[in-house]
Protein backbone atom coordinates (compact mmCIF):
# COMPACT_ATOMS: atom_id res chain seq x y z
CA UNK A 1 0.00 0.00 0.00
CA UNK A 2 1.32 3.44 -0.94
CA UNK A 3 1.93 5.83 1.96
CA UNK A 4 2.69 9.12 0.19
CA UNK A 5 3.76 11.20 3.21
CA UNK A 6 5.20 8.47 5.45
CA UNK A 7 6.02 8.75 8.35
CA UNK A 8 4.06 12.01 8.78
CA UNK A 9 0.67 11.03 7.39
CA UNK A 10 -1.24 12.66 10.26
CA UNK A 11 0.58 15.98 9.88
CA UNK A 12 0.18 15.88 6.11
CA UNK A 13 -3.56 15.27 6.48
CA UNK A 14 -3.76 18.29 8.77
CA UNK A 15 -1.86 20.55 6.37
CA UNK A 16 -3.09 19.41 2.94
CA UNK A 17 -6.34 21.43 3.10
CA UNK A 18 -4.12 24.55 3.23
CA UNK A 19 -1.81 23.49 0.41
CA UNK A 20 -3.70 25.21 -2.44
CA UNK A 21 -3.68 21.98 -4.47
CA UNK A 22 -7.36 22.45 -5.25
CA UNK A 23 -6.67 25.16 -7.84
CA UNK A 24 -6.82 24.15 -11.49
CA UNK A 25 -3.19 23.27 -12.13
CA UNK A 26 -2.25 19.64 -12.65
CA UNK A 27 1.46 20.47 -12.45
CA UNK A 28 1.04 21.73 -8.88
CA UNK A 29 -1.54 19.30 -7.52
CA UNK A 30 -1.27 16.83 -4.64
CA UNK A 31 0.69 14.38 -6.79
CA UNK A 32 3.36 17.08 -7.17
CA UNK A 33 3.60 17.33 -3.38
CA UNK A 34 3.88 13.56 -3.12
CA UNK A 35 6.71 13.48 -5.66
CA UNK A 36 8.54 16.33 -3.96
CA UNK A 37 8.25 14.50 -0.63
CA UNK A 38 9.65 11.34 -2.24
CA UNK A 39 12.58 13.41 -3.52
CA UNK A 40 13.01 15.03 -0.10
CA UNK A 41 13.23 11.62 1.57
CA UNK A 42 15.71 10.30 -1.01
CA UNK A 43 18.00 13.29 -0.39
CA UNK A 44 17.49 13.46 3.39
CA UNK A 45 18.45 9.79 3.73
CA UNK A 46 21.95 10.69 2.49
CA UNK A 47 22.27 14.28 3.71
CA UNK A 48 20.35 14.43 7.02
CA UNK A 49 17.96 17.21 8.02
CA UNK A 50 14.79 17.65 10.10
CA UNK A 51 12.05 15.61 8.41
CA UNK A 52 9.22 17.26 10.36
CA UNK A 53 10.29 20.72 9.16
CA UNK A 54 10.73 19.32 5.66
CA UNK A 55 7.27 17.72 5.60
CA UNK A 56 5.57 20.99 6.56
CA UNK A 57 7.65 22.91 4.01
CA UNK A 58 6.91 20.36 1.29
CA UNK A 59 3.14 20.40 1.76
CA UNK A 60 2.93 24.20 2.10
CA UNK A 61 5.62 25.33 -0.35
CA UNK A 62 3.00 26.37 -2.94
CA UNK A 63 0.20 27.26 -0.51
CA UNK A 64 -0.28 30.63 -2.24
CA UNK A 65 -1.05 29.89 -5.89
CA UNK A 66 0.59 32.25 -8.39
CA UNK A 67 0.37 31.51 -12.12
CA UNK A 68 3.59 31.17 -14.14
CA UNK A 69 2.69 34.25 -16.20
CA UNK A 70 1.72 36.43 -13.23
CA UNK A 71 3.73 39.59 -12.44
CA UNK A 72 3.78 38.33 -8.83
CA UNK A 73 5.60 35.13 -9.81
CA UNK A 74 8.93 36.20 -8.29
CA UNK A 75 7.18 36.77 -4.94
CA UNK A 76 5.30 33.47 -4.90
CA UNK A 77 7.68 31.71 -2.52
CA UNK A 78 7.72 34.66 -0.11
CA UNK A 79 3.93 34.83 -0.09
CA UNK A 80 3.74 31.07 0.54
CA UNK A 81 6.35 31.32 3.31
CA UNK A 82 4.34 33.99 5.10
CA UNK A 83 1.09 32.05 4.73
CA UNK A 84 2.73 28.80 5.89
CA UNK A 85 3.99 30.43 9.09
CA UNK A 86 0.49 31.72 9.79
CA UNK A 87 -1.02 28.24 9.20
CA UNK A 88 1.50 26.49 11.45
CA UNK A 89 1.14 29.06 14.23
CA UNK A 90 -2.62 28.48 14.25
CA UNK A 91 -2.13 24.75 14.86
CA UNK A 92 0.29 25.33 17.71
CA UNK A 93 3.78 25.22 16.22
CA UNK A 94 6.46 27.24 18.02
CA UNK A 95 7.61 30.53 16.58
CA UNK A 96 11.06 29.07 15.98
CA UNK A 97 9.71 26.13 13.98
CA UNK A 98 7.31 28.36 12.02
CA UNK A 99 10.21 30.62 11.10
CA UNK A 100 12.35 27.63 10.08
CA UNK A 101 9.65 26.36 7.73
CA UNK A 102 9.14 29.84 6.32
CA UNK A 103 12.82 30.20 5.47
CA UNK A 104 12.85 26.78 3.79
CA UNK A 105 9.86 27.70 1.62
CA UNK A 106 11.06 31.20 0.76
CA UNK A 107 14.23 30.01 -0.96
CA UNK A 108 12.82 27.00 -2.83
CA UNK A 109 11.68 28.87 -5.94
CA UNK A 110 13.80 29.36 -9.08
CA UNK A 111 11.98 32.62 -9.79
CA UNK A 112 12.72 34.07 -6.34
CA UNK A 113 16.50 33.68 -6.77
CA UNK A 114 17.01 33.47 -2.99
CA UNK A 115 20.01 31.42 -1.86
CA UNK A 116 19.03 28.61 0.54
CA UNK A 117 20.94 28.76 3.82
CA UNK A 118 19.84 25.83 5.97
CA UNK A 119 20.27 22.16 5.07
CA UNK A 120 16.48 21.79 4.95
CA UNK A 121 16.22 24.72 2.53
CA UNK A 122 18.82 23.18 0.23
CA UNK A 123 16.99 19.84 0.34
CA UNK A 124 13.57 21.30 -0.52
CA UNK A 125 14.98 23.42 -3.33
CA UNK A 126 16.64 20.35 -4.84
CA UNK A 127 13.57 18.14 -4.31
CA UNK A 128 11.24 20.65 -5.97
CA UNK A 129 13.60 21.27 -8.90
CA UNK A 130 13.96 17.54 -9.50
CA UNK A 131 10.25 17.49 -10.31
CA UNK A 132 10.86 20.16 -12.97
CA UNK A 133 13.38 18.08 -14.94
CA UNK A 134 13.60 14.60 -16.44
CA UNK A 135 10.56 12.82 -17.83
CA UNK A 136 8.28 14.51 -15.30
CA UNK A 137 9.73 17.88 -16.19
CA UNK A 138 9.00 17.28 -19.86
CA UNK A 139 5.41 16.31 -19.07
CA UNK A 140 4.90 19.33 -16.82
CA UNK A 141 6.45 21.69 -19.36
CA UNK A 142 4.04 20.76 -22.13
CA UNK A 143 1.09 20.56 -19.75
CA UNK A 144 1.81 24.11 -18.55
CA UNK A 145 2.33 25.35 -22.11
CA UNK A 146 -1.14 24.06 -22.95
CA UNK A 147 -2.67 25.81 -19.96
CA UNK A 148 -0.94 29.07 -20.89
CA UNK A 149 -1.92 28.79 -24.57
CA UNK A 150 1.65 28.42 -25.86
CA UNK A 151 2.67 26.63 -29.04
CA UNK A 152 4.81 23.49 -29.05
CA UNK A 153 7.63 25.16 -31.02
CA UNK A 154 8.31 27.83 -33.63
CA UNK A 155 7.82 26.02 -36.96
CA UNK A 156 10.13 28.45 -38.77
CA UNK A 157 12.98 28.27 -36.25
CA UNK A 158 12.43 25.57 -33.61
CA UNK A 159 15.95 25.91 -32.17
CA UNK A 160 15.79 29.72 -31.93
CA UNK A 161 18.89 30.11 -34.08
CA UNK A 162 17.75 33.41 -35.63
CA UNK A 163 15.49 34.83 -32.92
CA UNK A 164 15.48 35.35 -29.16
CA UNK A 165 14.19 32.51 -26.99
CA UNK A 166 10.55 33.04 -26.06
CA UNK A 167 9.29 30.36 -23.69
CA UNK A 168 6.03 32.22 -23.16
CA UNK A 169 5.16 31.49 -26.82
CA UNK A 170 6.87 28.15 -27.39
CA UNK A 171 7.21 25.17 -25.06
CA UNK A 172 10.40 23.91 -26.71
CA UNK A 173 12.12 27.23 -25.96
CA UNK A 174 11.62 26.56 -22.24
CA UNK A 175 14.23 23.82 -22.35
CA UNK A 176 17.03 26.13 -23.47
CA UNK A 177 15.71 29.08 -21.47
CA UNK A 178 15.43 27.25 -18.14
CA UNK A 179 15.07 23.47 -17.87
CA UNK A 180 18.47 22.54 -19.31
CA UNK A 181 20.12 25.00 -16.92
CA UNK A 182 18.60 23.65 -13.71
CA UNK A 183 20.98 20.71 -13.21
CA UNK A 184 23.86 23.15 -12.68
CA UNK A 185 22.39 24.65 -9.52
CA UNK A 186 21.65 21.73 -7.22
CA UNK A 187 22.69 22.22 -3.61
CA UNK A 188 23.17 18.68 -2.27
CA UNK A 189 25.37 15.84 -3.46
CA UNK A 190 22.47 13.39 -3.75
CA UNK A 191 20.34 16.00 -5.52
CA UNK A 192 23.15 16.57 -8.03
CA UNK A 193 23.39 12.84 -8.76
CA UNK A 194 19.68 12.49 -9.49
CA UNK A 195 19.64 15.76 -11.46
CA UNK A 196 22.38 14.57 -13.81
CA UNK A 197 20.34 11.48 -14.72
CA UNK A 198 17.20 13.52 -15.36
CA UNK A 199 19.12 16.17 -17.32
CA UNK A 200 20.36 13.50 -19.72
CA UNK A 201 16.77 12.35 -20.33
CA UNK A 202 15.75 15.90 -21.27
CA UNK A 203 18.71 16.34 -23.61
CA UNK A 204 17.81 13.08 -25.34
CA UNK A 205 14.17 14.14 -25.65
CA UNK A 206 15.08 17.47 -27.26
CA UNK A 207 17.41 15.69 -29.72
CA UNK A 208 14.69 13.17 -30.57
CA UNK A 209 12.07 15.88 -31.05
CA UNK A 210 14.32 17.94 -33.33
CA UNK A 211 15.17 14.82 -35.32
CA UNK A 212 11.48 14.14 -35.89
CA UNK A 213 10.86 17.74 -36.91
Amino acid sequence: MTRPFHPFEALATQLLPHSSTSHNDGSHDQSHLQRVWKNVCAIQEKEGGDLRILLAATVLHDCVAVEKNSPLRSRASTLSAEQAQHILAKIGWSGQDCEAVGKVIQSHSFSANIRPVSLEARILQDADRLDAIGALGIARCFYTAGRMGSGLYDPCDPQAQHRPLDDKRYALDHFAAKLLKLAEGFQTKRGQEIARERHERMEQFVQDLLREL
Side-chain angles (χ1 to χ4, degrees), residues 141-198:
C141 174
F142 285 98
Y143 170 86
T144 300
R147 288 186 72 242
M148 299 292 104
S150 304
L152 295 178
Y153 58 90
D154 180 352
C156 297
D157 188 4
Q159 293 181 268
Q161 294 176 318
H162 306 290
R163 61 175 177 82
L165 288 168
D166 187 353
D167 58 352
K168 289 183 172 60
R169 291 186 65 191
Y170 306 115
L172 184 58
D173 282 23
H174 194 55
F175 288 85
K178 177 181 176 180
L179 299 185
L180 291 173
K181 297 177 180 178
L182 287 179
E184 301 170 0
F186 277 72
Q187 302 288 322
T188 66
K189 183 178 179 181
R190 183 57 182 145
Q192 291 167 3
E193 292 169 352
I194 303 171
R196 280 194 292 270
E197 297 173 5
R198 297 192 180 194

